[in-house]
Amino acid sequence: MQDAVLAEAAAALRAEGVDVDATALANELVVPTAVAADLALPMHRFAKATGRDPTALAEAVAARFRPSSEIERVEGLSGYVNVHAAFPDLARRTLQLVFEGKERYGNGPGRTESVCVEHTSANPTGPLHIGRVRGAVLGDTLARILRAAGYPTVTQYYVDDVGRAAALISWMWSKPLPSWPPELRSTLPPDGAQPPGEKVDQYLGRPYPAANAYVKTHPEASAEVQQISRDLERGVPPPLHETILQQVLDGMLLSLGRLGIRFDEFAWESTFLGDGSVDAVRERLLRTPHAMTEENGAHAIDASSYGLPSESARIIVSRGDGTSLYVTRDVAYHLQKFSRFDRVIDVLGSDHVLHARTLEALFTEMDEARRPEFLLYQFITIAGGGKMSTRAGTAVSLDSLLDEAVRRARVEVSQRRDDLPAEEIDRIAEKVGTGAIRYVIARVAPEKGVKFQWEEALSFEGRTGPFLQYAFARAAAVLRKAGLSPHAPFPFDPTGFHEPGERRLLREIARWPGTIDHAASSGQVQGVGTYAHELAEAFNSFYQSVPVLSSEPELRTNRLALVAAARQTMGNALRILGIEPLETM
RNA sequence: GGGCGCGUUGCUCAGCUUGGAUAGAGCACCGGGUUCCUAACCCGGGGGUCGGGGGUUCAAAUCCCCCCGCGCCCGCCA
């Protein structure tokens, strides 16, 4: 309809002596909120340019629109040309798209530009905490959005197996238990074994905060850790090094899996040391215009012209002893990503802003045309607590959060569904609880700090994940009671939608493709969450306002089609949010 | 001190990239709704200097400048 409106409006404006083409007009097009119209064009700009009265111009332009199958009615009002869509046309197009597209309804065209989304990438030193999970949810959701928009997308987890954190956990676990300092030993059970029911990441991560504190005050321990760091740099890890890290990582991935988060690929940092690419980066950076060497032999880049807030205004590329740094290794990693992907996106906590700026500066320094893109998120803070840190041991674990959410969900499900077997209640509770957590994270703009409040995060009413699941389940129930498969053909008469509730729902369904497109191009993940809520709200309102199964045959047929389309679209939106659509709950 | 980000109703947030008419939701509060497809729902109501001030514009929550408050960062850590 947009194209028709633009063409008509351009012709009408030219007839009124304003010279514009449809393409330029497209930027003026607005979706009105204050008035019940589908599209609007403000005339003030053209009125001003031609010295006319906006109200009169709008009325004149509106009057010149010719009737068509897409446009029902056009009116000029206080300087705006308001266009009302012909509803049958809108209904027919929308429902056709939904029923033809099914689970692909809303998706963009296939594209060739490939994308790599790196997210989470937490050091495998212990269980994931609530702060980190925001990056995981954002990254996973972004990847799902990009895929839906048509971009071939790969998610990656960057595993730090050579940094200080990796050295520290290896230092702990490579020692025989009896030789552990008491401060560390006391973090484990008396027999030192993994307690039954405790996840492996939790168990192996137990001594980590204490170890951090310990090496700060014990130089000899600190020296041992440094030696391990150098060994890792040389590619000679302590025995069990990769095994320990892999086990912790597996435990972390188990938690993420509950949220539907899985990775396509893992990039181990050590591979970039092993294959010489870190050395290559170092050599390359040594030959750049701003390369410099410190007195102790460390290599650096004079970054004073890059506007970094570093006091010394230099980026250290390698230490005096020749070992590499996180940034340098990360440059090697990113160059490798660019050799495979057209776009490289990193989802990072905002404490990594400087790192992001440093990477950009080094890419400029190396005269690389491309740049990684960054999705930076503020941390989740607990009301009353400060920043969460695994190092400091001040974190609330993701597992405990999920367990609590699922526990509360089970209470809710049990109250309503005493007809279901316990296993089914457990299954639903798991999906409701984890869906609630995903939604509460995904609905907030990444750059905003989230003040985490348990009551709000674990609420199942209003603007929540379960609200969305509930609307889906209701739609599914209607189809089930009608004896129809969701994939059955749903005939409909596009001229048969007259109820406001029907029309509102259809309009929401029609907005879905635009929502994906906008989210993908802007990277604004939260838009999908907002949309899903508005769609569910429109469905609930429709459900309340008109009967489906017990209505007159023609109405019943049409409403069943609408329910099926709503179910499909809500399901598609839920899947992008990583929330399981439930047939019953 | 410097860099970046945030500030929208009592609380939690959409909307800001690309400026349009009366700024939207949820929670909480008040009042209604269940002989009917799942009330985890729906309908209505009160509640707003969009942090403050200037500027640009026919038009500013949205763009620009200044200020205030809060957060993150400013390592040869990651």
Side-chain angles (χ1 to χ4, degrees):
Chain A
M1 184 189 67
Q2 278 203 13
D3 294 341
V5 169
L6 291 172
E8 283 292 316
L13 275 166
R14 274 196 297 274
E16 291 295 325
V18 182
D19 185 34
V20 279
D21 61 12
T23 327
L25 259 188
N27 293 325
E28 306 290 320
L29 213 53
V30 151
V31 179
T33 50
V35 116
D38 292 289
L39 286 174
L41 275 168
M43 289 293 117
H44 308 84
R45 187 188 303 268
F46 308 116
K48 170 125 173 127
T50 53
R52 294 185 57 176
D53 171 51
T55 306
L57 182 60
E59 282 165 6
V61 168
R64 288 187 182 272
F65 268 67
R66 292 164 304 180
S68 79
S69 62
E70 297 174 63
I71 301 165
E72 184 183 276
R73 171 165 74 85
V74 183
E75 65 203 359
L77 185 69
S78 59
Y80 295 85
V81 175
N82 293 322
V83 181
H84 299 259
F87 202 83
D89 179 69
L90 183 91
R92 185 180 46 78
R93 283 165 186 259
T94 302
L95 293 178
Q96 268 177 9
L97 281 174
V98 177
F99 294 139
E100 283 164 14
K102 300 214 184 291
E103 66 282 351
R104 298 182 52 80
Y105 170 61
N107 288 12
R111 306 180 205 244
T112 53
E113 195 181 22
S114 62
V115 188
C116 175
V117 177
E118 180 212 328
H119 67 86
T120 311
S121 302
N123 292 337
T125 55
L128 280 168
H129 61 70
I130 304 181
R132 285 281 176 214
V133 78
R134 191 171 191 195
V137 169
L138 286 173
D140 187 67
T141 308
L142 178 65
R144 288 168 188 255
I145 289 169
L146 290 170
R147 278 194 196 108
Y151 299 97
T153 303
V154 165
T155 54
Q156 286 195 355
Y157 189 121
Y158 187 48
V159 191
D160 175 5
D161 57 343
V162 297
R164 204 195 83 98
L168 189 61
I169 196 165
S170 219
W171 171 75
M172 299 176 338
W173 289 103
S174 62
K175 287 173 172 306
L177 230 45
S179 68
W180 281 28
E183 295 94 315
L184 270 62
R185 184 62 183 79
S186 64
T187 61
L188 299 180
D191 66 352
Q194 182 176 352
E198 180 166 302
K199 283 175 69 239
V200 64
D201 51 337
Q202 194 181 343
Y203 168 66
L204 292 174
R206 275 178 183 240
Y208 185 72
N212 248 304
Y214 184 83
V215 297
K216 274 186 191 142
T217 51
H218 295 76
E220 72 291 347
S222 179
E224 287 177 31
V225 174
Q226 272 175 32
Q227 184 54 48
I228 295 178
S229 278
R230 281 192 290 273
D231 291 344
L232 291 173
E233 177 91 15
R234 289 189 297 133
V236 192
L240 296 180
H241 180 74
E242 300 292 324
T243 313
I244 296 284
L245 293 177
Q246 184 68 59
Q247 284 190 68
V248 177
L249 184 60
D250 286 344
M252 298 162 81
L253 294 174
L254 224 50
S255 308
L256 291 174
R258 291 178 73 184
L259 289 169
I261 298 171
R262 283 171 194 84
F263 294 86
D264 297 316
E265 298 176 1
F266 295 85
W268 291 75
E269 198 167 357
S270 57
T271 56
F272 303 104
L273 285 167
D275 68 5
S277 57
V278 172
D279 282 334
V281 167
R282 189 180 352 212
E283 293 300 317
R284 193 170 162 187
L285 283 169
L286 263 175
R287 296 191 305 267
T288 63
H290 300 103
M292 53 191 278
T293 303
E294 301 286 302
E295 288 172 9
N296 65 357
H299 295 307
I301 299 296
D302 177 355
S304 43
S305 55
Y306 288 115
L308 296 175
S310 165
E311 281 175 23
S312 52
R314 34 169 220 164
I315 303 163
I316 305 295
V317 171
S318 65
R319 296 191 184 90
D321 66 3
T323 55
S324 63
L325 283 106
Y326 167 58
V327 237
T328 318
R329 300 192 293 268
D330 216 17
V331 169
Y333 173 40
H334 279 80
L335 286 173
Q336 191 248 24
K337 286 198 267 191
F338 273 122
S339 73
R340 296 179 51 202
F341 305 102
D342 298 309
R343 288 177 66 194
V344 169
I345 302 176
D346 296 355
V347 181
L348 296 176
S350 64
D351 55 340
H352 280 57
V353 203
L354 183 56
H355 176 68
R357 299 288 91 84
T358 306
L359 268 185
E360 283 172 342
L362 291 180
F363 266 68
T364 305
E365 186 69 14
M366 293 186 303
D367 210 19
E368 281 284 331
R370 293 187 288 185
R371 293 283 177 287
E373 300 160 56
F374 301 98
L375 176 62
L376 296 162
Y377 63 89
Q378 290 289 334
F379 283 109
I380 295 175
T381 48
I382 300 270
K387 185 184 157 185
M388 275 175 278
S389 158
T390 309
R391 256 185 235 188
T394 57
V396 175
S397 78
L398 171 57
D399 293 307
S400 61
L401 173 67
L402 293 181
D403 288 344
E404 178 62 15
V406 170
R407 192 190 64 76
R408 294 195 187 207
R410 189 178 297 111
V411 170
E412 296 288 326
V413 180
S414 311
Q415 273 172 11
R416 295 156 223 266
R417 300 301 301 271
D418 49 10
D419 57 316
L420 293 176
E423 311 80 66
E424 181 68 357
I425 288 178
D426 284 347
R427 193 188 71 81
I428 293 170
E430 174 74 17
K431 297 304 181 187
V432 169
T434 54
I437 298 303
R438 263 198 90 130
Y439 190 78
V440 83
I441 293 169
R443 72 179 193 193
V444 181
E447 64 274 15
K448 296 223 186 182
V450 170
K451 286 165 219 134
F452 199 87
Q453 299 179 340
W454 287 86
E455 286 312 315
E456 191 211 342
L458 300 176
S459 155
F460 299 144
E461 291 171 18
R463 219 182 134 217
T464 66
F467 177 94
L468 311 180
Q469 291 171 311
Y470 185 64
F472 180 91
R474 283 176 128 185
V478 173
L479 298 184
R480 201 162 52 238
K481 295 244 158 117
L484 293 168
S485 153
H487 307 295
F490 287 93
F492 61 91
D493 170 12
T495 65
F497 298 104
H498 302 291
E499 293 293 328
E502 296 172 334
R503 294 196 162 200
R504 177 182 166 196
L505 177 55
L506 216 21
R507 284 199 162 89
E508 285 297 330
I509 293 171
R511 283 178 55 218
W512 176 231
T515 302
I516 291 191
D517 188 58
H518 182 257
S521 58
S522 68
Q524 313 227 304
V525 168
Q526 73 276 12
V528 175
T530 305
Y531 169 80
H533 180 255
E534 283 164 1
L535 175 62
E537 220 170 25
F539 177 79
N540 281 331
S541 185
F542 155 82
Y543 181 94
Q544 177 72 32
S545 63
V546 297
V548 177
L549 297 179
S550 61
S551 53
E552 297 299 310
E554 298 80 20
L555 292 175
R556 187 177 190 270
T557 304
N558 257 22
R559 286 174 187 167
L560 279 170
L562 193 46
V563 170
R567 180 197 164 280
Q568 183 70 62
T569 309
M570 288 191 285
N572 293 1
L574 281 169
R575 270 186 294 276
I576 285 202
L577 292 168
I579 299 171
E580 182 112 339
L582 296 168
E583 290 290 322
T584 183
M585 66 185 277

